[in-house]
């Protein structure tokens, strides 16, 4: 819910955020930040794969991926360093995503979760964030005449609104539960609101929803 929209959001507003926060002299860091953000997006998948392998006692597979990460990092950096900081950032990000198929196949061997299935789940979870990122980018290209602070605030507001609407569209059941929890809070029923939190997070099945389905 948080990681992808925050990372993509920072990447999209970087052209406004970096000069505003650090000065115009740091403008060269903008593409570096954006490229590193793309590599960081793999972090939840990496954590999931590692957790599954550890749970099945496949520490050898975890060690193999770690060693391969070092080897790929050295190879990619040897090429990327020739293109400066942007090349180094691209090398690190490329290494991150190049390791995904390896980890996904290791998980498939122990759990039966096919890499395409993992990719599909990742895409579904990331789709609202991608829609948000596209909207923020489009807004940044079309809004003119605003000072940096108002522009940054506008882009953040657009991102929050678009992500909220996109998330609600792709997660209708959780959205309904969230609205019910908010209504519980408004009327002072904190116990009922707390009871809906696991359902919103998807950790347990909603008995009422199951009966209705």
């Amino acid at each position: 819910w948080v990681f992808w929209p925050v990372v993509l959001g920072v990447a999209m507003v970087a052209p406004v955020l970096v000069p505003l926060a650090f000065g115009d002299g740091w403008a060269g860091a903008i593409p570096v930040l954006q490229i590193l953000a793309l590599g960081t997006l793999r972090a939840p998948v990496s954590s999931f794969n590692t957790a599954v392998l550890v749970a099945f006692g496949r520490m050898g597979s975890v060690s193999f991926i770690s060693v391969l990460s070092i080897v790929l990092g050295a190879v990619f950096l040897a090429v990327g360093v020739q293109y400066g900081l942007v090349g180094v950032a691209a090398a690190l990000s490329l290494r991150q995503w190049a390791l995904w198929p390896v980890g996904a196949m290791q998980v498939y061997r122990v759990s039966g979760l096919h890499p395409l299935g993992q990719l599909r789940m990742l895409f579904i979870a990331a789709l609202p964030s991608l829609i948000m990122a596209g909207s923020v980018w489009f807004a940044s290209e079309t809004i003119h005449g605003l000072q940096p602070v108002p522009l940054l605030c506008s882009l953040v507001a657009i991102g929050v609104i678009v992500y909220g609407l996109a998330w609600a569209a792709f997660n209708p059941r959780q959205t309904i539960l969230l609205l019910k929890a908010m209504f519980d809070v408004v009327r002072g029923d904190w116990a009922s609101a707390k009871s809906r939190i696991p359902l919103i997070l998807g950790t347990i099945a909603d008995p009422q929803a199951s009966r209705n389905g």
Side-chain angles (χ1 to χ4, degrees), residues 125-165:
L127 194 54
S129 298
L130 295 174
I131 293 174
M132 176 274 296
S135 300
V136 172
W137 174 83
F138 180 78
S140 68
E141 293 293 315
T142 54
I143 296 177
H144 303 288
L146 290 181
Q147 293 298 314
V149 173
L151 177 58
L152 180 61
C153 293
S154 299
L155 295 178
V156 171
I158 291 171
V160 171
I161 293 172
V162 171
Y163 178 76
L165 293 175

Side-chain angles (χ1 to χ4, degrees), residues 83-203:
Y83 300 92
L85 287 177
V86 173
V88 171
L92 294 174
S93 296
L94 181 60
R95 180 196 62 175
Q96 288 294 94
W97 285 103
L99 287 170
W100 172 78
V102 179
M105 285 304 301
Q106 296 292 331
V107 169
Y108 174 58
R109 290 172 182 172
V110 300
S111 69
L113 176 60
H114 197 278
L116 291 180
Q118 189 178 136
L119 188 61
R120 178 177 177 275
M121 289 189 298
L122 174 65
F123 178 75
I124 293 175
L127 194 54
S129 298
L130 295 174
I131 293 174
M132 176 274 296
S135 300
V136 172
W137 174 83
F138 180 78
S140 68
E141 293 293 315
T142 54
I143 296 177
H144 303 288
L146 290 181
Q147 293 298 314
V149 173
L151 177 58
L152 180 61
C153 293
S154 299
L155 295 178
V156 171
I158 291 171
V160 171
I161 293 172
V162 171
Y163 178 76
L165 293 175
W167 188 90
F170 288 101
N171 300 274
R173 178 169 171 264
Q174 285 85 350
T175 301
I176 293 173
L177 290 170
L178 182 60
L179 292 175
K180 288 181 179 179
M182 294 172 63
F183 179 73
D184 291 336
V185 171
V186 171
R187 62 192 179 93
D189 190 353
W190 291 92
S192 179
K194 290 181 179 179
S195 69
R196 298 186 192 277
I197 293 177
L199 299 173
I200 296 171
L201 297 177
T203 55

Side-chain angles (χ1 to χ4, degrees), residues 173 199 204-213:
R173 178 169 171 264
L199 299 173
I204 59 176
D206 183 3
Q208 184 63 39
S210 299
R211 287 195 294 270
N212 292 340

Side-chain angles (χ1 to χ4, degrees), residues 21-35:
F22 304 105
D24 294 335
W26 286 83
I30 295 173
V32 176
L33 174 61
Q34 292 175 320
I35 294 172

